[in-house]
């Protein structure tokens, strides 16, 4: 499975405008989309096609706890993978999904109203790096038979044995679907966002504020520069304009170095997040 990686490239261009002037013509450049790229990387969702196994009513009672137990047994027996911990928010999302499918009579990962599995768990308050959803519909003798049906399907098996997941929520309820009495089972898997150090939103805001300040300073510098060009060197205020210009440029250059430092720190945080995400 391929994961998206974030690459933030900094291009710093420094120029000198005219002899005797210190003006940096170009602002430090940052990738304007880096925030969006981070958001994309935190929303990897794996959804194998829903599994409809049919079968007649077995008159048994299935429980979510037993399905979680059987799921963790499969993880242990197939690679000695760590057991998944039940997460209440994922359980809430799984139950909402199962109820919605019976209510609206559909059996798909995306609801008729357009809610995707990723949106479903986020609506429940679960922020994730990686998420997955397994769906099954039919009648079963036991939870073990239900989980084995998922294991016999390559896509669902891959979700159950995905070593990136650390948490799970399960719902299994009985109802009427297309005139038949059946069980619907839902597994919601997740690796929570809290697992990896999230790049600082406050620092990103500081970068944008510093950049905006630099743009304002640049406009002011250009105005003084034009005034100098249109002022005779022998004029009384010429030297004052040059001194003001150089002071503004010094302030600008100091702020530009601060921006460079902020960007560097933010990129370190992004790289740390990516390294955690890709492990």
């Amino acid at each position: 499975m391929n994961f998206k990686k974030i690459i933030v490239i900094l291009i710093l261009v420094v120029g000198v405008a005219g002899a005797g002037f210190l003006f940096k013509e170009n602002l430090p450049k940052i990738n304007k989309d880096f925030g969006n790229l981070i958001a994309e990387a935190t929303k990897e969702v794996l959804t194998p096609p829903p599994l409809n196994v049919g079968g007649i009513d077995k008159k048994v009672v299935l429980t979510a706890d037993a399905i979680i137990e059987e799921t963790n047994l499969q993880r242990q027996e197939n690679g000695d993978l760590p057991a998944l911990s039940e997460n209440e928010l994922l359980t809430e999302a799984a139950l909402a999904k199962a109820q919605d499918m019976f209510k609206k009579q559909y059996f798909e990962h995306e609801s008729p109203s357009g809610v995707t599995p990723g949106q479903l768990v986020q609506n429940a308050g679960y922020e994730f790096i990686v998420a997955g959803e397994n769906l099954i519909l039919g009648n079963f003798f036991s939870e073990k038979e239900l989980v084995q049906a998922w294991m016999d399907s390559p896509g669902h098996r891959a979700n159950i044995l995905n070593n990136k997941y650390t948490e799970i929520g399960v719902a299994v309820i009985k109802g009427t679907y297309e005139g038949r009495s059946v069980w619907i089972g839902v597994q919601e898997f997740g690796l929570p966002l809290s697992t990896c150090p999230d790049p600082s939103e406050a620092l990103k805001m500081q970068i944008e504020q510093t950049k905006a300040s630099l743009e304002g300073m640049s406009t002011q510098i250009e105005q003084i520069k034009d005034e100098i060009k249109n002022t005779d060197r022998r004029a009384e205020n010429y030297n004052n304009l040059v001194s003001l210009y150089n002071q503004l440029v010094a302030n600008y250059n100091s702020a530009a170095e601060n921006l460079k430092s902020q960007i560097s720190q933010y990129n370190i945080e992004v790289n740390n997040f990516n390294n955690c995400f890709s492990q």
Side-chain angles (χ1 to χ4, degrees):
M1 177 174 56
N2 294 323
F3 290 91
K4 299 179 182 177
K5 295 202 176 177
I6 306 166
I7 301 176
V8 178
I9 301 176
L10 308 183
I11 305 173
L12 299 178
V13 183
V14 178
V16 178
F21 299 121
L22 307 176
F23 178 51
K24 281 185 178 178
E25 290 186 335
N26 295 312
L27 297 177
K29 297 294 193 299
I30 60 174
N31 186 334
K32 294 180 180 179
D33 295 326
F34 62 9
N36 292 333
L37 289 174
I38 292 170
E40 286 181 15
T42 63
K43 294 179 173 60
E44 185 77 23
V45 183
L46 307 176
T47 54
L51 187 61
N52 189 335
V53 300
I56 60 174
D57 191 350
K58 306 295 194 302
K59 305 298 182 183
V60 298
V61 177
L62 306 178
T63 69
D65 287 345
I67 290 175
I68 292 175
E69 183 179 350
E70 290 295 332
T71 298
N72 281 328
L73 281 173
Q74 291 291 349
R75 286 173 64 85
Q76 181 180 8
E77 294 171 1
N78 293 274
D80 196 23
L81 298 170
L84 300 173
S85 301
E86 184 176 6
N87 180 281
E88 292 182 1
L89 298 178
L90 289 178
T91 297
E92 178 185 330
L95 182 59
K97 178 71 173 183
Q99 291 172 338
D100 194 56
M101 285 190 290
F102 273 125
K103 179 180 179 180
K104 298 177 182 175
Q105 291 293 287
Y106 72 97
F107 187 55
E108 301 290 342
H109 287 293
E110 184 173 330
S111 75
S113 59
V115 177
T116 65
Q119 292 169 332
L120 176 74
V121 296
Q122 283 186 310
N123 289 345
Y126 188 83
E127 294 296 335
F128 62 91
I129 297 171
V130 186
E133 182 178 82
N134 279 353
L135 301 179
I136 195 166
L137 183 153
N139 282 291
F140 311 90
F141 285 107
S142 65
E143 293 88 353
K144 182 175 182 178
E145 182 190 19
L146 186 155
V147 173
Q148 187 60 53
W150 270 326
M151 289 295 293
D152 292 339
S153 167
H156 299 88
R157 178 187 180 91
N159 254 349
I160 289 173
L161 302 182
N162 191 320
N163 63 2
K164 291 190 178 294
Y165 299 139
T166 60
E167 298 179 329
I168 190 173
V170 170
V172 59
I173 59 177
K174 193 172 187 180
T176 301
Y177 180 76
E178 295 183 344
R180 294 189 303 124
S181 178
V182 295
W183 289 90
I184 283 182
V186 180
Q187 288 177 315
E188 299 291 348
F189 303 94
L191 174 65
L193 183 59
S194 59
T195 303
C196 292
D198 197 21
S200 170
E201 283 295 320
L203 180 56
K204 188 169 75 171
M205 289 180 62
Q206 287 178 10
I207 290 172
E208 294 303 321
Q209 290 169 358
T210 304
K211 183 181 175 184
S213 176
L214 282 169
E215 289 172 349
M217 293 169 66
S218 176
T219 299
Q220 187 179 8
I221 287 170
E222 285 296 331
Q223 291 172 347
I224 299 297
K225 181 179 175 182
D226 290 339
E227 191 172 352
I228 290 172
K229 288 180 179 179
N230 295 321
T231 301
D232 191 294
R233 287 177 177 267
R234 295 167 294 182
E236 184 177 340
N237 67 333
Y238 181 83
N239 287 336
N240 290 335
L241 288 172
V242 171
S243 295
L244 175 60
Y245 177 83
N246 284 335
Q247 183 59 54
L248 288 172
V249 170
N251 294 340
Y252 175 91
N253 288 343
S254 176
E257 286 302 313
N258 184 40
L259 176 60
K260 179 180 176 181
S261 176
Q262 290 173 342
I263 292 171
S264 177
Q265 177 58 38
Y266 187 80
N267 284 343
I268 290 172
E269 294 181 10
V270 169
N271 288 334
N272 289 340
F273 178 87
N274 285 336
N275 290 337
C276 175
F277 172 60
S278 61
Q279 289 175 359

